[in-house]
Amino acid sequence: MERNSERRTAGFTLFELLITLAIAGLLLTIGAPAWSEWSARARVRTTLFDLAQDVAHARRLARSQSVPIALCAQNRDRRCAATGDFSNGWLIFANLDDDRPAVRDDQEPVLIEGRPARGVRLDANRRFFYFAPPHRRSTNGTFTACDKAANSRPRSLVVSYTGRGRVSELPGGQC
């Protein structure tokens, strides 16, 4: 015959469950802002890393193929936008007619099409960037990326006149 004290079933008591939920709620309250800031920083860094890779690739193409390459802000119909707002994405194309400002014509192939991460605002101080064949100067300028919810510091990608890019963090918290 079994005794009542030995018949305990597996599980939690109501008191244990409430204490566990209270601790979990406290940890979520403390950790949520840190998670939000971390994810915002990660989105900004990912956007600038992707853009820096595309800039490096455009530079290599211009030098190896001896063809002018253009990078511009993308509008909805896969053409160059008239502003320096790259938040809708960017196009890198062979600028066969070598026009400036760069305008993508139908016969000019799109080589790379990129987009910033969701929630990231990407601006530049230029409407387009030009990557020149060897022995010619490329366009220099700066891209600035920040989280739209302002949960992280803005970062920038500085493109030198040789076409090389470097990423740096900007002081202040405003985009």
Side-chain angles (χ1 to χ4, degrees), residues 81-145:
T83 66
D85 181 8
F86 285 73
S87 297
N88 290 328
W90 57 87
L91 291 175
I92 296 178
F93 61 95
N95 192 12
L96 300 176
D97 56 2
D98 204 11
D99 54 352
R100 294 189 197 185
V103 176
R104 190 181 86 73
D105 302 318
D106 290 331
Q107 72 273 12
E108 295 175 328
V110 173
L111 305 172
I112 299 172
E113 196 170 347
R115 292 208 177 287
R118 186 181 319 169
V120 173
R121 180 175 168 193
L122 183 63
D123 292 313
N125 64 346
R126 306 234 183 262
R127 285 183 23 205
F128 78 97
F129 288 77
Y130 178 79
F131 300 95
H135 312 297
R136 291 178 56 194
R137 184 180 169 129
S138 297
T139 305
N140 65 327
T142 304
F143 292 93
T144 303

Side-chain angles (χ1 to χ4, degrees), residues 152-163:
S152 70
R153 284 190 170 159
R155 295 177 66 86
S156 68
L157 172 66
V158 180
V159 180
S160 71
Y161 68 89
T162 62

